[in-house]
Amino acid sequence: MNVTLDQIQAPIAAEMEEFEKKFRQSMQTKQLLLDKIMGYIVKRKGKQIRPMFVFFTAKISGGDPLPEASFRGAALIELLHTATLVHDDVVDESNYRRGFFSINALWKNKIAVLVGDYLLARGLQLALENDDFDLLKIVNNAVRELSEGELLQIEKARRLDITEDVYFDIIRQKTASLIASCCAVGAASTGASKEVIERARLFGEKVGMAFQIKDDLFDFGTDEVGKPVGIDIKEKKMTLPLIYALQQADWLTKRRVIFNVKNNDGRKDRVQAVIDFVKKSGGLQYAIGVMERYRDEALTILRTFPASPSRNSLEQLINYTIEREK
């Protein structure tokens, strides 16, 4: 892909720089240990895709220049989402996130849980101090859905009986609800109508569905979708390529594959056997087709907004994420 993330970000580059300063300030605290941990969290930030969605959607919804509410909305999402990630790392007993040590790895579980609680409280405080009840309602709904999706996945993983419908429910709640809330917050922060906010939310939901299917594809490692890792299979997660492949299989094959997923114990031969089965059964091609359908539906909704540099960048951002190799 020729376009870079910096080029995509160009129409909101100044806003992103301003947001970084404001977000860093919002994370400061007089409690020394907490301040040290907040500083660590700010330093290891990723691509900042979530604030980008907030700002781009705010701009295409009529917020140019961006109102202060857009910056608060982006900060609210970052604070509450970071809280869920810190807690997730404790639940998953994960020592790394994005190549950095997790909070629980450096400061142990008890502190990590309290830090997650603090981030949650800080987000609520930010919204309540500014009477941003409409933004808080949107983000609170996303956090609730994230939790429900995670619990649904854990429940289903025990029996490995996930159908396509259940899978779509899980990723809509776990991944798509967050991107949807970014876009809804962006529109709502500009005082847009309920119809525009809902259109922005639905756009974000479609994008989030495509994003998650792309992540699922990475697990099976082909030239088109990245390096083989098999992490989802090792963790007994049922993803779309595998669900589709199992639907096409006879009873005996299905039983053998599910046995390999349930009892892989990290064994490379069993993980590879599942990957080979999915590839031969057309699971990757099917998932790519579904991902592209969600992307096209998102683009159709996006094009109902007025043409602008921000709308162009959103289109590029979707394609950048769908076509990425890592």
Side-chain angles (χ1 to χ4, degrees):
M1 181 185 293
N2 295 326
V3 67
T4 66
L5 207 52
D6 284 342
Q7 289 170 323
I8 292 170
Q9 206 182 87
I12 55 165
E15 288 88 345
M16 289 296 290
E17 199 174 320
E18 187 181 344
F19 170 72
E20 198 168 322
K21 290 175 190 168
K22 289 181 175 180
F23 187 63
R24 193 177 284 123
Q25 286 169 356
S26 75
M27 298 281 268
Q28 287 174 348
T29 167
K30 291 175 183 175
Q31 210 282 332
L32 288 177
L33 174 60
L34 195 52
D35 194 55
K36 185 178 181 181
I37 297 171
M38 292 300 108
Y40 179 73
I41 289 171
V42 169
K43 276 182 190 171
R44 58 171 205 166
K45 67 185 187 322
K47 297 186 181 83
Q48 292 195 295
I49 297 291
R50 289 176 297 275
M52 287 171 68
F53 271 107
V54 174
F55 295 152
F56 279 137
T57 314
K59 286 210 170 193
I60 66 170
S61 302
D64 201 359
L66 290 182
E68 279 299 311
S70 298
F71 292 96
R72 293 197 301 270
L76 176 60
I77 286 171
E78 284 295 271
L79 286 163
L80 267 58
H81 181 56
T82 306
T84 65
L85 295 182
V86 171
H87 284 161
D88 279 352
D89 287 340
V90 174
V91 171
D92 297 338
E93 299 177 347
S94 176
N95 290 327
Y96 297 94
R97 179 165 291 277
R98 295 200 205 101
F100 291 91
F101 281 114
S102 60
I103 303 301
N104 50 297
L106 291 173
W107 286 281
K108 306 303 177 190
N109 286 348
K110 185 183 284 189
I111 288 175
V113 170
L114 292 170
V115 165
D117 292 346
Y118 173 79
L119 289 164
L120 183 62
R122 189 72 192 90
L124 295 173
Q125 183 185 10
L126 179 68
L128 295 173
E129 280 177 350
N130 294 280
D131 294 338
D132 291 325
F133 300 112
D134 51 344
L135 306 185
L136 183 57
K137 187 176 179 182
I138 292 166
V139 180
N140 178 67
N141 189 56
V143 174
R144 176 185 57 77
E145 290 214 86
L146 280 166
S147 304
E148 288 177 355
E150 194 72 55
L151 287 165
L152 178 60
Q153 186 171 53
I154 291 168
E155 176 197 334
K156 293 294 181 181
R158 289 174 182 164
R159 296 198 302 271
L160 298 184
D161 63 347
I162 294 180
T163 61
E164 273 192 44
D165 286 345
V166 172
Y167 164 82
F168 288 129
D169 274 347
I170 289 170
I171 69 167
R172 182 185 56 76
Q173 290 182 307
K174 276 189 65 181
T175 304
S177 65
L178 186 66
I179 302 295
S181 72
C182 291
C183 297
V185 161
S189 70
T190 68
S193 68
K194 284 185 180 179
E195 183 276 325
V196 170
I197 295 168
E198 175 54 23
R199 202 168 4 128
R201 188 202 66 77
L202 189 58
F203 160 72
E205 185 176 283
K206 302 281 188 188
V207 172
M209 298 293 277
F211 279 16
Q212 184 56 54
I213 296 170
K214 177 66 177 184
D215 271 356
D216 290 351
L217 285 162
F218 282 132
D219 206 51
F220 295 91
T222 68
D223 291 339
E224 300 92 54
V225 294
K227 186 180 175 182
V229 283
I231 290 169
D232 289 337
I233 296 165
K234 287 174 189 169
E235 294 180 355
K236 303 177 178 57
K237 286 180 183 171
M238 296 287 280
T239 58
L240 186 59
L242 178 56
I243 291 166
Y244 174 82
L246 286 170
Q247 285 172 351
Q248 314 310 308
D250 58 68
W251 178 82
L252 199 60
T253 305
K254 191 181 291 187
R255 187 177 170 187
R256 188 183 71 246
V257 172
I258 288 176
F259 175 85
N260 279 338
V261 175
K262 272 186 176 177
N263 304 285
N264 72 76
D265 300 322
R267 279 177 50 175
K268 287 184 180 178
D269 57 333
R270 289 186 179 175
V271 171
Q272 192 57 50
V274 176
I275 290 172
D276 292 342
F277 159 73
V278 170
K279 287 180 179 178
K280 285 175 188 169
S281 304
L284 297 187
Q285 288 80 359
Y286 177 76
I288 288 168
V290 175
M291 175 186 74
E292 289 174 344
R293 191 186 78 223
Y294 276 115
R295 176 201 61 194
D296 292 345
E297 288 173 359
L299 291 174
T300 299
I301 296 170
L302 178 61
R303 286 164 189 157
T304 65
F305 287 88
S308 68
S310 288
R311 195 186 84 172
N312 292 342
S313 283
L314 266 177
E315 191 163 325
Q316 290 173 333
L317 182 58
I318 295 166
N319 288 320
Y320 172 90
T321 311
I322 296 304
E323 294 166 22
R324 74 195 193 279
E325 296 299 324
K326 61 182 179 178

